[in-house]
Amino acid sequence: MTDPITCPECHGDKGDQLGPLFLACRFCQGRGWVGGEHEPAQEPTPPDGPPPVWEDRRWGSTVWAAAGVCSRCLGAKKVSSVDRSTGTMLMVTCDACVQ
């Protein structure tokens, strides 16, 4: 921990004013200073991507089943997947609807 100092990113301005919108500095979180208990740490590594939508508990509700809509493709009969290594998008038929 260090003593509080003026934020090196926003120079103590706490952020940027864009018309009526104020964007707080991401480095100091809008305080205008860093240090002490608010020492900025290295940002954590972001996840590879969001989890599949069908793993969200909201999609498993009985409302979708009562409406007759597939919870994986929402009735489109196709699901898409993005391959991040090649930067391509693949669309295949929904295996949950085929069964």
Side-chain angles (χ1 to χ4, degrees):
M1 292 198 321
T2 62
D3 292 333
I5 59 170
T6 303
C7 176
E9 294 291 320
C10 68
H11 306 289
D13 293 336
K14 300 181 182 181
D16 295 317
Q17 186 75 39
L18 299 173
L21 183 64
F22 180 77
L23 301 174
C25 175
R26 293 179 65 190
F27 193 73
C28 66
Q29 285 86 37
R31 287 183 206 89
W33 56 272
V34 294
E37 62 189 37
H38 300 290
E39 184 72 34
Q42 185 176 358
E43 292 186 21
T45 306
D48 288 337
V53 70
W54 55 84
E55 289 182 4
D56 190 326
R57 64 182 173 83
R58 293 173 291 183
W59 296 109
S61 77
T62 55
V63 175
W64 293 106
V69 177
C70 175
S71 63
R72 287 192 180 197
C73 67
L74 300 178
K77 307 289 185 208
K78 291 189 178 277
V79 291
S80 60
S81 175
V82 176
D83 184 358
R84 292 177 185 256
S85 62
T86 61
T88 58
M89 184 167 136
L90 176 68
M91 293 191 70
V92 296
T93 57
C94 178
D95 60 344
C97 292
V98 174
Q99 296 174 356

